[in-house]
Amino acid sequence: DRQELGGKSLYVHIDVCDEKKVKAAFDEVRKTLGNPGVLVYNAGNAAMGKILELDLEKFKKTWEVGCYGALLCARQALPAMVEAKTGTILITSATAAFRAGAGWAPFCVSKFGLRALSQSITKEFAPKGVHVCHIRIDCVMDTPMTRASYAKGWPTEKLGNCDQIAETYYAMHMQPKFGWTNEIDIRPMGESWTC
């Protein structure tokens, strides 16, 4: 528990696609907790559709949430990280960042873009002390929502354990500067490798 460990937290609802709202949320965090030393970007949505039948607004929104929002959040976190010569940005992604599929264009475009953004931030800011890691989650997360819907009845070994994955995120944050991981795949033991 973060409070038992002396940590503080703050919940801020944010529309990651709105630059002014992102800035306001980061301003609130800075005012209450100070400059963020870690940014975990974990926003996304999974709109699907065939190319000729795509709802273009859903396509655009999927890209905005999956990619553009990460840029907006990184731009708020990076200046203080650069000044401190330390910081971590962990970007949650998916297998779609590596492999596209028919009917998945909106989701895949957002994740391909997110991976490219992660690499660009890494190349620009690693020399300034900021660790950036693109984290590919290759599984369905074991949550009450997924258990109640499409993962109903799935065996536990095929689902991602949220606590164990959080430990991996923490390990990425704690890596020493001369052994940074900039990309990692996470999958449970029962998940078949999709690429």
Side-chain angles (χ1 to χ4, degrees):
D1 183 84
R2 69 186 164 278
Q3 289 177 336
E4 289 175 9
L5 297 172
K8 297 178 187 174
S9 63
L10 172 69
Y11 174 81
V12 181
H13 183 80
I14 183 174
D15 176 355
V16 296
C17 304
D18 184 315
E19 186 174 6
K20 289 179 183 174
K21 290 180 181 176
V22 169
K23 182 182 181 316
F26 273 85
D27 286 346
E28 186 176 346
V29 168
R30 284 188 280 267
K31 179 180 153 195
T32 306
L33 301 174
N35 290 321
V38 180
L39 168 63
V40 176
Y41 191 79
N42 191 37
N45 54 9
M48 298 175 283
K50 296 180 180 180
I51 296 295
L52 297 178
E53 300 166 8
L54 279 175
D55 177 325
L56 296 181
E57 281 306 309
K58 282 185 181 176
F59 182 94
K60 181 179 174 186
K61 189 66 172 179
T62 300
W63 175 80
E64 287 177 342
V65 171
C67 189
Y68 180 66
L71 173 64
L72 295 179
C73 290
R75 287 170 52 108
Q76 287 297 316
L78 281 164
M81 291 178 178
V82 170
E83 184 177 334
K85 296 183 174 66
T86 187
T88 305
I89 297 177
L90 303 173
I91 298 176
T92 304
S93 192
T95 300
F98 297 81
R99 176 182 60 84
W104 285 87
F107 186 63
C108 293
V109 166
S110 76
K111 295 306 177 185
F112 266 77
L114 187 60
R115 183 174 184 224
L117 177 64
S118 173
Q119 291 174 357
S120 295
I121 296 170
T122 297
K123 294 290 189 177
E124 186 172 345
F125 290 96
K128 298 174 182 179
V130 180
H131 178 201
V132 181
C133 186
H134 175 262
I135 302 173
R136 169 185 170 191
I137 305 288
D138 189 24
C139 62
V140 172
M141 300 302 296
D142 192 356
T143 67
M145 183 180 78
T146 58
R147 285 281 189 183
S149 58
Y150 55 89
K152 198 173 193 172
W154 284 23
T156 301
E157 60 272 6
K158 288 189 68 73
L159 299 170
N161 180 289
C162 297
D163 291 336
Q164 291 174 5
I165 289 173
E167 288 178 21
T168 301
Y169 276 62
Y170 181 71
M172 293 301 99
H173 169 59
M174 296 305 294
Q175 285 185 321
K177 291 182 185 232
F178 298 102
W180 279 344
T181 300
N182 299 114
E183 193 159 71
I184 187 170
D185 297 353
I186 299 175
R187 63 180 56 84
M189 66 180 201
E191 173 64 31
S192 59
W193 289 36
T194 54
C195 69

